[in-house]
Amino acid sequence: MEKTADPPTVSPLPPQRLSSIDAFRGFVMFLMLAEILHFSKVAAKFAEEQTFWGGFWRFLAFQQSHVPWTGCTLHDLIYPGFVFLVGVAVPFSIASRIARGQSYTSMTVHAFQRAFVLVLLGVFLVSQGSSQTNWTFINTLTRIGVGYGFLFLLAFCTVRVQVGVLVAILVGYWAAFAAYPLPGPGFDWSKTGVSPDWEHNAVGFAAHWNKNTNLGWAFDVWFLNLFPRKSPFIFDSGGYPTLSSISSLGTMILGLLAGNILLSNRSDAKKIGVFVLLGIVCLLIGWLCGFLGICPIVKRIGTPSWVLFSTGFCFLFLAGFHLVLDVLRCRKPFFPLIVIGSNSIVAYCIASTALNSYFIKNLKIHLGGDFFKWFGAVYEPLFIGAVVLLINWLILFWMYRQKIFVRV
């Protein structure tokens, strides 16, 4: 790779930690932790009501769920937001390590060690409750780990090289899926978990990105069966392929570009202006590709249009958080998010394990089964979720006060 004469930013002192990054990361993780609020269970109680209140809860439930295939909800933005922020943080991490006198070799070794640990941690989390290791690579931490080492090496390249690699990834990923043949007349749909008349199947050229009939599915039928399994891999029920780690690297590269901008000597106004411009451009290109049928917006397989569309929102969120927290210095209202964002790995593990189920079980034992019905049976799931969410935050707050920050 072509290297710059110096790392992204070299300073005799470590760069200042930006509250906007922690708050943005905290917002992303809050959306994940807030799944415990179970808006869908509340909305189900209003399923027959065509009222404002019923529509309100159905809207919240929709935004707290993933779309079946194409499209996007607020909940769908959790993963790209987390991945984008990994890229944003890399220039700050490199600059901080350089200021502490670390060599390029030691930083590279650490980066690949971190990548390896993230992959194993992701595999461990998805293997909970299984009788053997579940070798799958679609977990958020796993996908980050797969691309993190390459991202680190790219951080020492020129912007031109970074953009070139980004374009190559998006175009190459698109072309590979586009070249994979569509199901023929004799295709066995039973091995895909999808019926040929599924309402979310696209027709025409966009069908190359249909669920479990695409290149990613075909790759996993070969790749995942190389690992020990209780039964042969046939398909993933959610349609998530291992190859999505490739497009995830594209999201991280866009975050890397954003991190370099934040760390640059540009004025705050120019930084925010660039983020807004990039956000709008990415949103428009991603939406247009989906609208024209060139490449549908599918989060589950990380289509290039999805990468651009979702990252467009990330750029706009980053612009807003940077303006409010770093420029206007309005931090107090966002302190709860900063607490979560400062220990995002812990927050992720809390949301990805059975810990919350343990909390709910014990709360009902010690407080009584009727305690959470104070606001009515309709809102019981919401009330329980709110109490558990508060417990999650208090754990993270205690760690924040004790200056315990878990890093990989």
Side-chain angles (χ1 to χ4, degrees), residues 142-199:
T142 303
R143 284 190 277 182
I144 291 172
V146 169
Y148 187 80
F150 301 102
L151 181 71
F152 174 83
L153 296 178
L154 275 173
F156 288 85
C157 297
T158 62
V159 172
R160 180 178 297 180
V161 170
Q162 293 169 1
V163 173
V165 172
L166 171 65
V167 172
I169 287 174
L170 297 183
V171 174
Y173 194 65
W174 172 86
F177 272 75
Y180 186 77
L182 296 174
F187 183 76
D188 184 5
W189 285 86
S190 65
K191 61 183 181 182
T192 67
V194 182
S195 64
D197 56 351
W198 187 43
E199 61 179 320

Side-chain angles (χ1 to χ4, degrees), residues 106-129:
S106 65
M107 288 189 292
T108 302
V109 171
H110 175 268
F112 279 90
Q113 286 177 339
R114 185 184 192 201
F116 183 68
V117 170
L118 286 171
V119 170
L120 291 185
L121 180 57
V123 171
F124 170 78
L125 289 174
V126 299
S127 298
Q128 295 177 93

Side-chain angles (χ1 to χ4, degrees), residues 284-303:
L284 287 177
I285 295 176
W287 174 83
L288 191 61
C289 288
F291 178 76
L292 296 176
I294 298 172
C295 182
I297 298 174
V298 183
K299 175 227 174 186
R300 295 173 188 244
I301 55 178
T303 58

Side-chain angles (χ1 to χ4, degrees), residues 25-88:
R25 190 183 292 113
F27 172 67
V28 171
M29 297 315 303
F30 170 77
L31 293 177
M32 187 173 180
L33 290 169
E35 290 178 1
I36 195 69
L37 296 176
H38 295 300
F39 289 150
S40 60
K41 291 184 179 180
V42 179
K45 305 295 184 180
F46 295 91
E48 304 300 324
E49 292 191 23
Q50 300 302 316
T51 61
F52 169 81
W53 203 233
F56 170 76
W57 285 110
R58 284 191 292 273
F59 172 78
L60 289 183
F62 175 72
Q63 294 301 329
Q64 201 181 52
S65 60
H66 296 298
V67 294
W69 197 243
T70 58
C72 177
T73 65
L74 181 61
H75 209 61
D76 286 315
L77 294 176
I78 293 175
Y79 174 71
F82 195 71
V83 172
F84 177 81
L85 285 166
V86 169
V88 172

Side-chain angles (χ1 to χ4, degrees), residues 7 21 47 92 121 129 132 138 193 198 211 243 248 265 279 287 335 352 359:
I21 297 177
F92 289 84
L121 180 57
Q132 67 179 76
I138 57 175
W198 187 43
K211 183 177 180 180
L243 289 181
S248 294
N265 294 323
W287 174 83
F335 177 71
S352 302
F359 288 147

Side-chain angles (χ1 to χ4, degrees), residues 81-404:
F82 195 71
V83 172
F84 177 81
L85 285 166
V86 169
V88 172
V90 166
F92 289 84
S93 176
I94 291 175
S96 177
R97 290 178 181 279
I98 290 173
R100 297 199 301 268
Q102 293 189 16
S103 67
Y104 174 77
T105 301
S106 65
M107 288 189 292
T108 302
V109 171
H110 175 268
F112 279 90
Q113 286 177 339
R114 185 184 192 201
F116 183 68
V117 170
L118 286 171
V119 170
L120 291 185
L121 180 57
V123 171
F124 170 78
L125 289 174
V126 299
S127 298
Q128 295 177 93
S130 301
S131 58
Q132 67 179 76
T133 303
N134 183 11
W135 291 104
T136 182
F137 304 93
I138 57 175
N139 175 277
T140 298
L141 298 183
T142 303
R143 284 190 277 182
I144 291 172
V146 169
Y148 187 80
F150 301 102
L151 181 71
F152 174 83
L153 296 178
L154 275 173
F156 288 85
C157 297
T158 62
V159 172
R160 180 178 297 180
V161 170
Q162 293 169 1
V163 173
V165 172
L166 171 65
V167 172
I169 287 174
L170 297 183
V171 174
Y173 194 65
W174 172 86
F177 272 75
Y180 186 77
L182 296 174
F187 183 76
D188 184 5
W189 285 86
S190 65
K191 61 183 181 182
T192 67
V194 182
S195 64
D197 56 351
W198 187 43
E199 61 179 320
H200 299 289
N201 279 339
V203 296
F205 184 71
H208 287 281
W209 291 272
N210 279 346
K211 183 177 180 180
N212 288 342
T213 59
N214 55 62
L215 174 66
W217 162 77
F219 175 83
D220 279 347
V221 170
W222 166 75
F223 177 68
L224 294 182
N225 283 312
L226 298 177
F227 296 87
R229 313 184 68 85
K230 288 194 299 185
S231 59
F233 176 86
I234 302 176
F235 62 84
D236 179 76
S237 59
Y240 296 93
T242 301
L243 289 181
S244 61
S245 294
I246 297 174
S247 62
S248 294
L249 179 56
T251 303
M252 287 193 280
I253 293 173
L254 286 164
L256 176 66
L257 295 171
N260 282 329
I261 292 171
L262 277 177
L263 206 53
S264 70
N265 294 323
R266 291 182 177 91
S267 67
D268 289 321
K270 287 185 178 180
K271 292 177 184 178
I272 294 170
V274 171
F275 291 151
V276 171
L277 177 61
L278 288 173
I280 293 173
V281 169
C282 286
L283 280 171
L284 287 177
I285 295 176
W287 174 83
L288 191 61
C289 288
F291 178 76
L292 296 176
I294 298 172
C295 182
I297 298 174
V298 183
K299 175 227 174 186
R300 295 173 188 244
I301 55 178
T303 58
S305 56
W306 164 260
V307 171
L308 294 174
F309 187 76
S310 61
T311 307
F313 283 109
C314 293
F315 275 119
L316 295 178
F317 276 125
L318 183 59
F321 278 108
H322 181 58
L323 171 62
V324 175
L325 280 89
D326 300 330
V327 179
L328 300 180
R329 299 189 179 279
C330 179
R331 296 172 183 168
K332 287 186 178 180
F334 298 90
F335 177 71
L337 296 182
I338 293 174
V339 168
I340 299 174
S342 298
N343 256 316
S344 57
I345 293 293
V346 176
Y348 183 90
C349 290
I350 289 174
S352 302
T353 62
L355 184 60
N356 283 338
S357 297
Y358 173 82
F359 288 147
I360 293 174
K361 178 182 177 180
N362 281 274
L363 285 170
K364 288 184 176 180
I365 290 174
H366 298 294
L367 299 178
D370 295 331
F371 178 81
F372 295 102
K373 295 181 180 180
W374 283 357
F375 296 99
V378 171
Y379 300 103
E380 181 182 3
L382 180 66
F383 188 21
I384 295 175
V387 173
V388 173
L389 185 59
L390 177 61
I391 293 173
N392 292 169
W393 188 84
L394 289 174
I395 292 172
L396 296 170
F397 177 64
W398 177 84
M399 296 180 69
Y400 184 87
R401 290 289 300 270
Q402 298 300 316
K403 301 186 186 304
I404 301 173

